[in-house]
Amino acid sequence: MKKFNFRKVLDGLTASSPGGSAGGGGAGGGSAHPGGTAGAAGTPREEIQETLTSDYFQICKTVRHGFPYLPTALAFDPVQKILAIGTRTGAIRILGRPGVDCYCQHESGAAVLQLQFLINEGALVSACADDTLHLWNLRQKRPAILHSLKFNRERITYCHLPFQSKWLYVGTERGNTHIVNIESFILSGYVIMWNKAIELSTKTHPGPVVHLSDSPRDEGKLLIGYENGTVVFWDLRSKRADLRAYYDEAIHSVAWHHEGKQFMCSHSDGSLTLWNLKSPNRPFQTTIPHGKIQRDGKKPESCKPILKVEYKTCKNSEPFVIFSGGLSYDKACRRPSLTIMHGKAITVLEMDHPIVDFLTLCETPYPNEFQEPYAVVVLLEKDLIVVDLTQSNFPIFENPYPIDIHESPVTCTEYFADCPPDLIPVLYSVGAKHKKQGYSNKEWPISGGAWNLGAQTYPEIIITGHADGSVKFWDASAITLQMLYKLKTSKVFEKQKPGEGKATAEIVEEDPFAVQMMYWCPESRIFCVAGVSAYVVVYRFSKHEVNTEIASLEVRLQYEVEDIITPEPEIIPQFPDASSQLPSLKSLSGSTNTVACEGMMKDSIPCLSVKTRPVRMPPGYQADLVIQLVWVDGEPPQQITSLAVNSAYGLVAFGNCNGLAVVDFMQKTVLLSMGTLELYGSSDPYQRQPRSPRKSKQFAADNFCMRGLSNFYPDLTKRIRTSYQSLTELSDSPVSLELERCKSPTSENRENSFSRSRSSSVSSIDRDSKEAITALYFMESFARKNDSAVSPCLWVGTGLGMVLILSLNLPASDDLRQSEPVMVSPSVWLSFLSEGCREAEGSSGKETQMLAGTVLTLKGAVLTFACLDCTGTLIHPPYEVWRDPHSADDGEKTRKRKLVMHSPSSSQDMGDHQFAVICSEKQAKVFSLPSQTCLYVHNITETSFLLQADVVTLCNSVCLACFCANGHIMTLSLPSLRPLLDINYLPVTDMRIARTFCFSNEGQALYLSSPTEIQRLTYSQEMCDNLQDMLGDLFTPVETPEAQNRGFLKGLFGGSGQAFDREELFGEATAGKASRSLAQHIPGSGGIEGVRGAAGGVIGDLTRARIALDERGQKLGELDERTASMMASAEAFSKHAHEVMLKYKDKKWYQF
């Protein structure tokens, strides 16, 4: 194990040889050697063993949660009982029992048109929009493609795979039907051409194939539906059409009666036609279920198209006819519906979203038996529901999957791995009381696969904040996801009156309660939320219901500096009703509009109104205090950019681009409310101009910073009317980098701090006067240089790279905490500016003493803080042990606060200093405290910037994890800042990823991969190694149910389905080979992975044998082709030699 030594720096030394000699730039910048010089003789030399090496790290996606984004296709295996959903982005989600959730992705990214299970075979066929068929192996935990078949000359429109068949029927846009062998994934020479299927007298093309199915009565007959309304019943043996049916409306779908004598078609005019094979000239029944019956006896009026129909029979009741669409045109506002016709009863189930597809789940997989339907799976654009058909009121099943993540757009996330184990049952117990009623009492029917807990046992919780102000707590243990508890933060505010928002529609967000930031202390159960309307709510957890008033405070934060050089300000249109105006609910980047209104200028008015009457608060999180920023001289409050809470101190701190506020939530008082400039006092390092008289203008950055929640979630219904710049235009140009930086969610509302972090001259800093508070951290630390003992502190980081240390003077005893005031005072500030700025100030690389502190240099806005003790162990901030604030059983003695103070080692020789870890967008530095000397520095990136950085624990050690805007995930050792991992994982093409990416302990991380899905990943090698054991099995050995005994008469007169031999008909011996130019076979990568996944058992042997046979067959095919070529060549040579022989046969030697 490699050991890293550094010299302990004596207190009081100035940084005459500071840590500015950082390694090279770029993502792989090196660490500097210890910046401090050796102290006097006898200075103790220390060793810190850093146990983490690069072998501990590896990036790997673990699992994806949520609803599949933009779904397009649906399939169900009735024997394995697993469900597959295809999407427009080329993804496939396979779902079974809770815990069995698998995500696959087509490399091409082409939309999935159709999915077909090989029922009870552990395989799935996908047809994609790039006209490629893929065969997926589901007998491994991570499915992979075994074969692909790319159609070159025709476009795929429909596929059908009969039960227990290895021949796949493929319909195309040209109207032809091809047949594919599933085992070899090679086209058969048997083709049903469209001009052979229709009558010779027909002069028009029938259109694309929209339906294919074999007759339940006779597998040798294939029903082909064409778009123009033609249906052909094709005899596969005789290669001719047995019958043809014509209808004057386009066909959308076809469904068989299980006896194979009738079939039903759905049409574009909202009609259903029922056809009998004995009289195909016209349908024997035509209905328009939702059409109005005309009084004069005419045909009912046309309705919207019926996109799909299913015709399912029951042994003891009337058949079910289930269809989507078909509603009357005069009901334009009616919601998408699923209609269930059972006998004479017609039930219309209205849906919240458009229907993509639906499937009826039946008791038998055999198409020629009574189907006995028991449920309908309905895939909506943004939801998945299952309807119980066994009860007359058709209730829905309670969905066990976490598919409602996107119920309201996710605006922020937090991830807590290895949290206290008692939290999950406690949150579940209070959340279970709010569950909806009225679900079906049957068990969830999609119950396939197998799943076990695996080796990972620590509890994990994910918290999501949403645009409607709700907060959801999720149990994320063992790579599953289950909702525990939902908190609605909007309930602390009065509802807005309908007319209030209209006059200010251009400047008011449609989501005024959107959650912007969250801070949770799991040990004390204190929860804090910062909203988009510039407010902070502090919540305490209680198991008891209370009825109480909500305490509220108002805070003024003002910035007294005007930009020297600004673009021409844009004037905001005036509004007639000034009294009804609400402030601009700023974009998530934090920029705002300043409102020019007629009448009185707004001042000291908050954005929202807190409820003043007593409020009933159910068990769970209950609002303890609401803190609101108010308008100042006609300017709306700026969005909150940083938030921190400490339960032991009883303090909450938050900041924005104007300044910092510290509030005592125990005494409900404001301790500090200062502009950032005022925190520096007279020692401001920058020359800033006095603020000019306020005008009605936008800040300079607003021109490209302004954007709302709808920009992160443009596809969701909630829209926010603010202008924004598309992030899809990101490039390496300086301008786009500035825009990109402005949009960085982790540097919210930094008001041009992106240009500061790239600036090399002090003039650019002068131009950008706004200095946002970007990071806050409570800890027990050395507040001043040369302090001999730790004390409560608040570390403050700004967008200019400055770090201020505020000293917190708390009452000496806990008994006085409720009565004596808490004092907050600035003690130290550290500057993290670029080298050019430092030289411009004339410091020539030396530290500058200001406010009894030290000026150090580091580039970029500050992102995160952490503190290590002298042994390199992470020091956790102190906290108060949770106690129920409303428990009636607690006496005076038990109600006393119990504090847990995390202090460095108490040993005399090693306990007198700490390491402060500070990371900005560009650099990471480690300082020795109380000397405030830089020991290590690492230039993380020069050309990009960090979006997220966190100090996390892994394998009983600690490291710094970083996510960069260029897609790199990096980890650095602590305290020496050695690079341990640097992988180009994911380019940030979407602000959703940037805003929601977060690291947690034990090598865990997550981000929102789409508006509806959470992607979890690990950067731990150990978890990558154990992941296979944690994933669920999609395929489990299940006996295929036996077919019912058909009886003698049915077997005699019911058709010859059992005698049909597809192999004989479609095989190469009879049908020949298909044209090579028609489709190209592409071997998949799933074979090798399948062997690895199933190695060590019979399945592994069979898989290897199958792959060997495939490879042998492929080689034999190539050998056959070469042999044929050689035979042709030999025949040509023989012919030529024979001709030469005949030419010279009768000639003498002298005639040559």
Side-chain angles (χ1 to χ4, degrees), residues 121-158:
E121 294 290 334
L124 175 72
V125 174
S126 60
C128 294
D130 61 352
D131 306 306
T132 306
L133 297 172
H134 304 276
L135 178 65
W136 293 84
N137 178 15
L138 306 185
R139 292 181 178 239
Q140 55 196 67
K141 293 192 175 184
R142 285 191 178 272
I145 292 174
L146 287 168
H147 301 283
S148 297
L149 189 66
K150 167 75 173 171
F151 280 72
N152 297 322
R153 297 187 305 196
E154 298 192 53
R155 308 215 64 182
I156 299 171
T157 56
Y158 194 86

Side-chain angles (χ1 to χ4, degrees), residues 214-226:
D214 54 337
S215 167
R217 192 179 186 190
D218 185 353
E219 293 176 345
K221 305 289 179 68
L222 184 68
L223 192 73
I224 308 172
Y226 294 95

Side-chain angles (χ1 to χ4, degrees), residues 69 382 406 408-410 710 713-719 1011-1012:
Y69 183 53
K382 295 173 184 175
H406 63 290
S408 173
V410 178
S710 58
Y713 315 98
D715 52 327
L716 293 171
T717 53
K718 291 190 179 286
R719 303 287 178 181
T1012 62

Side-chain angles (χ1 to χ4, degrees), residues 804-822:
L804 300 92
I805 304 178
L806 303 184
S807 179
L808 308 174
N809 188 4
L810 299 168
S813 67
D814 189 59
D815 298 336
L816 304 174
R817 178 63 185 86
Q818 293 285 358
S819 56
E820 286 197 7
V822 178

